[in-house]
Amino acid sequence: MNKVLSKKVLAPNVKEMDVYVPRIARVAKPGQFVIVMPDEKGERIPLTLVDWNSFEGWIRLVFLEIGVTTYKLGLKEVGESLYYIVGPLGNPTYVGKFGTVIIVGGGVGIPAAYPIARAFKEVGNYVISIIGARTSKLLIYEDRIREVSNEVHVTTDDGSKGFKGFTSDMLANLLESGLKPDLIWMVGPAPMMKSCSAIAKKYGVKAVASLNPIMVCGMGMCGACRVTVAGRTRFACFEGPEFDADKVDWDELIKRLNMYRKEEQEALNRFRDALASIAMQR
Amino acid sequence: MPKRSPEERIRDFNEVALGYDEQMAVKEASRCIQCPEAPCIKGCPVGINIPKFIKFIRERKFEEAYRVVKEGSPIPAITGRVCPQEKQCEKYCTLAKLGQPIAIGALERFVADWAKERGVHVDLQQIDKRSERVAVIGSGPAGIVFATDLAKLGYDVTVFEALHEAGGVLVYGIPEFRLPKKIVREELAYMKDLGIDIELGIVVGKTVSIHELLEEYHAIFIATGAGHPRMLGVPGENLNYIYTANEFLTRVNLMKAYLFPEYDTPIHRGRRVAVIGGGNTAMDAARAALRLGAEEVYVLYRRTREEMPARREEIDNAEEEGVKFIFLVQPIGFKGDSQGNVSDVLLMKMALGEPDESGRPRPIPTGETTDIQVDVVINAIGFHPNPVIPMTTPEIRTDNRGRIVVDSDGRTSMRRVYAGGDIVVGEGTVIEAMGWGRKAALAVHKDLAIEKKLSIAVHKR
Ligand SMILES: Cc1cc2nc3c(=O)[nH]c(=O)nc-3n(C[C@H](O)[C@H](O)[C@H](O)COP(=O)(O)OP(=O)(O)OC[C@H]3O[C@@H](n4cnc5c(N)ncnc54)[C@H](O)[C@@H]3O)c2cc1C
Ligand SMILES: Cc1cc2nc3c(=O)[nH]c(=O)nc-3n(C[C@H](O)[C@H](O)[C@H](O)COP(=O)(O)OP(=O)(O)OC[C@H]3O[C@@H](n4cnc5c(N)ncnc54)[C@H](O)[C@@H]3O)c2cc1C
Ligand code: SF4
Ligand code: SF4
Ligand code: FES
């Protein structure tokens, strides 16, 4: 149980991991996530269910190594087990037949957008995906997204691949050129979602955002994941993670994401020192 | 009961109360006048035979005393520590009217610790295994008692717990300095000895549904607690470092943030901390904040000391440790700095009015406001019942406050599904939750005997 079945490096510091958790694979739906603890002393962190197979019992996670917990996760080898996984958490995406759906995925949000694009396409929507990263080396899951989209637009901040600019710039271009989607669905860094939300609003298109606040329990018990939506406090883990994008208080979310900057940096430095000293001893 | 000095104890998370030694216990037990009516028992929701175990202590028959206690509470080391005795057993003690009631909780704790130190176990009688399978959802006190009672009757019991550790509030809520986690783990080991299977990381309603469980189990007991925090609903409550008590205590207790960075979960260590509320949760949060290094910790309560629902002993402990109480105030908003970090609590001054439904005087706004500067706020105003199962299983009837509706034996509106503890009463106590576990276990035992005749179909995995 919780055994790592395979591990791949998709880009610098971005890993894809298949983990054997049949009870989660059995019931997972697009838009849901899990909470993972790499080891006994680790943090509980949320990660999106990128893919799963209910017959073979595995779930697929893709994560960016950004702090201690994700680095620890990245150090797990095939055959090792994760200390704890719970899920599937959060409400599944509402996958209706809308017509034309634009899916926006930024950075490590691209894999998270994959099962959503797939589900929207399966029920007969015309799926236009906009995926973007800082630079081409960090652009992941492009092939997968192509398999499940009718159209794909690629952006990079530095122009090393596709359109030079942000995913939100591409979204603005498409809407400006007269495209009238029935729904925009987005996942990625909060500032990206904030911009995309403003653009969707300007063109009067309904937009849904999958939020990524800091979480601890993932099941409505702690309130770490509080977000303000339409002026009301909501618990993203069990009332979300998706909300109407134009009603989200993005500035509050962005500030809350930075709450532990100092502690996270301190922990990461210590972790790196510890790793370095282990490497020295070898 | 002997305690560590406040100066010493606020520097660490080790236990505050030291407990009786043999001599002290015998001396206290000797005060008991062995009332024939034993009014004390009436005050104990699990009906421990109090005079009997106290008599054994007096006779220095500690092991026998332990056996008696254990018949009532499967986790006496815990109940002896956290029961609000002044509202339960000790309240009804004959000696309470004459001055000082017998320290029943302290004696209970003594025999449990004594037994543990000597490795004394109550012999597990060889029981005939039954074929019926029973599922328990939630591993807090209600679930623990239900599971142990039915396991002792030979049922095949599985406990499903969402978190990565079993124990419910006992592990994520009540801090180490009041209830060492080692003790909780030892008491839970007893469940394993009984052959109870505890499965962690399963959210019933998400990972598996009640309907699916009903296919595999003959009966289900829902003991998911009241773990959903209540919000204040005032402007600014999502500013940074405004915690719910559950988040704060979960970070500290379950995730061991007080040992950060040895443990990875961080917590913001405030200098000036405001805790809102007057219950056990508020006391625990305030005292934990102090131990994390806060210079000033204020408990802001909308009524007065007399109405505070917390255990008396913990209010006294908090005060000794330097927690400051501000009564008759209600938060009406929060201010923050440019980074979104909380800087002020705005307060409405209150006055006491006519009694409300709870019988306590209702706090009424006076119109006068004030504010205090803080860098951490902990909201400990209370909890709603855990909504996951009611949300995903509409057949189970709930009341307008989200509590599962049950009959006096714990039966819900869904056949073969029972519930008890905080999910039924809202916010109760450890021992009340245990009392529910016991009642529901009996009901299941009775109902299954009847069902067996009707022979319901349940598939084995
Ligand atoms: C529902 C949900 C699904 C998610 N899915 C994925 C996923 O599929 N792949 C993935 O790589 N990440 C995902 N995240 C984000 C992931 O949980 C964080 O990257 C992770 O918690 C960081 O932990 P850490 O200890 O490694 O870093 P930390 O040391 O905790 O943080 C390092 C940096 O990451 C930022 N950070 C911390 N927590 C979060 C968070 N919850 N979201 C965004 N940034 C954060 C901090 O502000 C800090 O700058 C998801 C988050 C949510 C809420
Ligand atoms: C901080 C704090 C201090 C307290 N101090 C005291 C005290 O000193 N004395 C006292 O008598 N009482 C005290 N109480 C109250 C007491 O802890 C509770 O009344 C008691 O724990 C309720 O027990 P329970 O078994 O109903 O639920 P809980 O102890 O809440 O346990 C419920 C369990 O169910 C799990 N769960 C929830 N939903 C699901 C699901 N869908 N699937 C699987 N698992 C699930 C939860 O993770 C949890 O482990 C305190 C409470 C708090 C919060
Ligand atoms: S279990 Fe609680 S109420 Fe019962 S005797 Fe022990 S301390 Fe008193
Ligand atoms: S009421 Fe008090 S004195 Fe009487 S038997 Fe009970 S504990 Fe002893
Ligand atoms: S993460 Fe705990 S309530 Fe949402």
Side-chain angles (χ1 to χ4, degrees):
Chain A
M1 200 58 78
N2 300 356
K3 202 173 258 192
V4 178
L5 299 177
S6 71
K7 181 166 117 174
K8 257 194 252 167
V9 179
L10 300 181
N13 291 115
V14 179
K15 290 190 174 142
E16 180 186 81
M17 210 174 244
D18 288 359
V19 188
Y20 184 69
V21 206
R23 62 171 192 269
I24 299 179
R26 190 178 68 93
V27 286
K29 298 224 166 51
Q32 291 188 297
F33 62 93
V34 291
I35 294 249
V36 177
M37 279 174 84
D39 60 41
E40 204 183 338
K41 294 185 175 179
E43 249 181 306
R44 296 171 62 99
I45 63 156
L47 294 172
T48 306
L49 285 161
V50 168
D51 206 351
W52 52 90
N53 184 310
S54 56
F55 298 107
E56 294 167 16
W58 53 262
I59 61 169
R60 180 166 296 157
L61 307 173
V62 177
F63 55 92
L64 172 66
E65 293 166 334
I66 187 174
V68 172
T69 315
T70 41
Y71 271 103
K72 277 184 170 179
L73 204 57
L75 289 172
K76 287 281 176 186
E77 297 300 340
V78 171
E80 287 182 323
S81 285
L82 309 187
Y83 178 66
Y84 167 87
I85 306 188
V86 65
L89 301 170
N91 299 297
T93 305
Y94 174 69
V95 185
K97 190 161 177 208
F98 292 94
T100 301
V101 178
I102 296 188
I103 308 270
V104 188
V108 78
I110 305 174
Y114 164 73
I116 313 296
R118 183 173 67 186
F120 275 120
K121 185 145 181 279
E122 266 168 15
V123 300
N125 290 290
Y126 187 81
V127 173
I128 303 174
S129 294
I130 305 176
I131 57 173
R134 265 188 291 136
T135 178
S136 65
K137 266 218 313 238
L138 295 175
L139 188 81
I140 51 175
Y141 258 60
E142 184 188 343
D143 295 349
R144 295 293 186 75
I145 292 286
R146 285 190 188 281
E147 286 164 24
V148 295
S149 312
N150 299 82
E151 270 178 44
V152 177
H153 301 270
V154 173
T155 71
T156 48
D157 298 2
D158 63 0
S160 50
K161 182 157 192 192
F163 172 82
K164 180 173 189 304
F166 299 132
T167 49
S168 50
D169 299 331
M170 176 55 80
L171 178 67
N173 289 351
L174 291 179
L175 298 183
E176 184 59 41
S177 70
L179 180 72
K180 289 209 164 32
D182 301 284
L183 178 75
I184 297 173
W185 191 99
M186 61 186 85
V187 62
M192 173 205 100
M193 293 197 279
K194 181 185 174 184
S195 312
C196 290
S197 167
I199 292 158
K201 191 170 179 186
K202 181 172 158 203
Y203 290 90
V205 185
K206 180 179 163 60
V208 169
S210 177
L211 306 187
N212 58 351
I214 294 174
M215 293 186 179
V216 180
C217 71
M219 47 183 262
M221 181 199 103
C222 72
C225 62
R226 264 137 63 212
V227 289
T228 301
V229 183
R232 267 181 62 207
T233 295
R234 307 294 293 269
F235 285 20
C237 68
F238 92 110
E239 297 180 278
E242 294 173 19
F243 293 99
D244 284 344
D246 66 323
K247 307 219 168 63
V248 173
D249 184 339
W250 292 105
D251 294 333
E252 178 186 277
L253 175 65
I254 291 166
K255 284 176 184 160
R256 285 183 68 84
L257 280 168
N258 287 321
M259 224 186 309
Y260 296 105
R261 260 289 142 80
K262 207 180 92 231
E263 288 86 354
E264 285 155 358
Q265 198 52 52
E266 181 195 335
L268 188 57
N269 292 342
R270 265 182 60 113
F271 180 70
R272 289 204 167 118
D273 291 349
L275 277 188
S277 80
I278 292 169
M280 295 254 286
Q281 282 160 19
R282 287 233 175 103
Chain B
M1 179 158 20
K3 288 191 280 194
R4 295 198 296 141
S5 76
E7 301 73 46
E8 181 196 323
R9 69 197 197 219
I10 61 165
R11 282 194 297 258
D12 60 42
F13 273 78
N14 299 336
E15 195 172 12
V16 164
L18 297 170
Y20 286 153
D21 59 23
E22 289 188 12
Q23 210 180 338
M24 282 187 264
V26 172
K27 190 165 164 233
E28 179 64 12
S30 307
R31 289 206 307 123
C32 170
I33 53 176
Q34 296 288 315
C35 313
E37 300 278 304
C40 47
I41 299 181
K42 187 172 75 186
C44 172
V46 291
I48 292 186
N49 191 335
I50 296 167
K52 191 169 169 194
F53 98 77
I54 292 187
K55 187 154 177 278
F56 279 132
I57 296 182
R58 191 162 66 193
E59 293 163 0
R60 295 188 154 268
K61 293 183 180 154
F62 303 130
E63 190 170 337
E64 282 86 342
Y66 176 64
R67 278 174 203 285
V68 174
V69 166
K70 195 91 180 168
E71 277 165 24
S73 167
I75 50 176
I78 296 172
T79 45
R81 282 175 168 82
V82 306
C83 265
Q85 288 95 5
E86 75 270 19
K87 292 184 194 133
Q88 297 177 346
C89 50
E90 294 176 15
K91 178 175 167 186
Y92 295 92
C93 173
T94 313
L95 297 184
K97 292 173 209 93
L98 306 169
Q100 193 64 15
I102 297 292
I104 301 169
L107 289 174
E108 180 172 326
R109 167 189 166 151
F110 164 77
V111 286
D113 289 356
W114 182 92
K116 205 141 289 169
E117 264 165 39
R118 279 161 192 76
V120 174
H121 285 289
V122 189
D123 292 338
L124 298 172
Q125 289 155 353
Q126 209 43 51
I127 23 173
D128 291 337
K129 288 276 165 212
R130 290 168 199 268
S131 58
E132 289 99 330
R133 296 156 55 83
V134 178
V136 185
I137 310 168
S139 62
I144 294 173
V145 171
F146 179 89
T148 46
D149 279 5
L150 285 184
K152 282 185 198 158
L153 288 168
Y155 289 91
D156 182 349
V157 184
T158 307
V159 179
F160 296 99
E161 169 56 52
L163 295 172
H164 56 277
E165 243 191 276
V169 173
L170 306 177
V171 294
Y172 78 71
I174 304 180
E176 183 75 20
F177 54 81
R178 207 146 70 75
L179 179 62
K181 299 309 147 222
K182 186 169 157 278
I183 289 174
V184 181
R185 271 195 293 272
E186 283 165 356
E187 297 283 30
L188 288 165
Y190 174 67
M191 296 175 71
K192 295 251 168 72
D193 294 344
L194 283 171
I196 297 166
D197 187 18
I198 304 183
E199 294 205 26
L200 303 173
I202 295 184
V203 184
V204 175
K206 290 281 181 188
T207 318
V208 57
S209 72
I210 294 275
H211 291 99
E212 285 167 322
L213 289 180
L214 278 173
E215 284 176 22
E216 288 186 31
Y217 294 89
H218 293 79
I220 298 177
F221 181 57
I222 304 174
T224 48
H228 182 49
R230 209 177 283 183
M231 301 308 297
L232 285 154
V234 300
E237 77 176 330
N238 296 336
L239 286 164
N240 291 348
Y241 313 130
I242 299 182
Y243 290 97
T244 70
N246 255 7
E247 182 185 352
F248 190 80
L249 291 170
T250 298
R251 283 180 183 269
V252 171
N253 302 324
L254 183 68
M255 308 311 296
K256 306 237 179 318
Y258 67 95
L259 298 175
F260 178 87
E262 184 198 339
Y263 283 73
D264 296 336
T265 302
I267 190 142
H268 189 68
R269 293 172 182 247
R271 282 197 316 113
R272 289 171 62 84
V273 179
V275 180
I276 301 159
N280 285 317
T281 314
M283 297 306 108
D284 286 345
R287 297 171 69 198
L290 212 58
R291 283 161 173 77
L292 288 172
E295 286 159 21
E296 305 275 355
V297 178
Y298 299 97
V299 166
L300 310 177
Y301 183 52
R302 62 193 180 135
R303 294 186 172 101
T304 68
R305 179 184 298 266
E306 280 63 53
E307 291 83 28
M308 280 175 75
R311 289 180 82 215
R312 190 62 27 185
E313 186 183 333
E314 308 308 345
I315 300 175
D316 296 344
N317 280 336
E319 192 147 51
E320 277 172 28
E321 288 166 10
V323 171
K324 300 195 173 70
F325 294 86
I326 302 180
F327 295 109
L328 293 168
V329 286
Q330 165 87 8
I332 49 171
F334 300 97
K335 280 199 296 202
D337 64 16
S338 59
Q339 271 122 58
N341 302 339
V342 67
S343 63
D344 290 79
V345 193
L346 310 177
L347 297 167
M348 169 66 72
K349 293 195 179 171
M350 312 296 278
L352 291 184
E354 292 298 305
D356 62 9
E357 319 86 69
S358 72
R360 295 174 301 174
R362 189 191 302 275
I364 0 181
T366 60
E368 197 186 333
T369 61
T370 176
D371 74 306
I372 56 173
Q373 285 180 0
V374 291
D375 49 15
V376 165
V377 173
I378 304 164
N379 162 3
I381 61 166
F383 304 99
H384 295 294
N386 190 305
V388 176
I389 290 182
M391 254 167 57
T392 51
T393 323
E395 297 94 316
I396 297 176
R397 227 177 76 222
T398 51
D399 66 9
N400 56 358
R401 284 154 73 184
R403 298 175 297 193
I404 294 184
V405 177
V406 294
D407 70 7
S408 57
D409 293 327
R411 297 182 187 87
T412 70
S413 58
M414 199 173 180
R415 217 163 72 86
R416 295 195 280 133
V417 180
Y418 302 72
D422 279 5
I423 186 73
V424 162
V425 297
E427 293 168 77
T429 61
V430 169
I431 194 73
E432 268 169 31
M434 291 171 54
W436 275 101
R438 175 140 301 162
K439 263 198 287 197
L442 271 175
V444 167
H445 186 46
K446 221 164 46 191
D447 295 352
L448 284 185
I450 299 166
E451 298 259 358
K452 202 169 185 177
K453 292 197 191 118
L454 305 173
S455 123
I456 41 167
V458 171
H459 316 293
K460 264 216 138 155
R461 251 195 285 215

PDB file of all heavy atoms in Angstrom, chain B residues 120 259 432:
ATOM      1  N   VAL B 120       0.657  -4.073  34.024  1.00  0.00           N
ATOM      2  CA  VAL B 120      -0.512  -4.885  34.352  1.00  0.00           C
ATOM      3  C   VAL B 120      -1.549  -4.756  33.246  1.00  0.00           C
ATOM      4  O   VAL B 120      -1.881  -3.653  32.835  1.00  0.00           O
ATOM      5  CB  VAL B 120      -1.156  -4.410  35.683  1.00  0.00           C
ATOM      6  CG1 VAL B 120      -2.458  -5.154  35.944  1.00  0.00           C
ATOM      7  CG2 VAL B 120      -0.183  -4.579  36.819  1.00  0.00           C
ATOM      8  N   LEU B 259       7.896  21.395  17.556  1.00  0.00           N
ATOM      9  CA  LEU B 259       9.232  20.839  17.349  1.00  0.00           C
ATOM     10  C   LEU B 259       9.790  21.223  15.976  1.00  0.00           C
ATOM     11  O   LEU B 259      10.804  20.689  15.555  1.00  0.00           O
ATOM     12  CB  LEU B 259       9.194  19.314  17.503  1.00  0.00           C
ATOM     13  CG  LEU B 259       8.767  18.811  18.894  1.00  0.00           C
ATOM     14  CD1 LEU B 259       8.645  17.289  18.899  1.00  0.00           C
ATOM     15  CD2 LEU B 259       9.762  19.261  19.960  1.00  0.00           C
ATOM     16  N   GLU B 432     -18.747  11.801  27.870  1.00  0.00           N
ATOM     17  CA  GLU B 432     -20.089  11.712  27.276  1.00  0.00           C
ATOM     18  C   GLU B 432     -20.024  10.950  25.961  1.00  0.00           C
ATOM     19  O   GLU B 432     -20.872  10.102  25.672  1.00  0.00           O
ATOM     20  CB  GLU B 432     -20.627  13.109  26.956  1.00  0.00           C
ATOM     21  CG  GLU B 432     -21.454  13.748  28.046  1.00  0.00           C
ATOM     22  CD  GLU B 432     -21.700  15.223  27.741  1.00  0.00           C
ATOM     23  OE1 GLU B 432     -21.781  15.616  26.551  1.00  0.00           O
ATOM     24  OE2 GLU B 432     -21.791  15.978  28.705  1.00  0.00           O
TER      25      GLU B 432
END
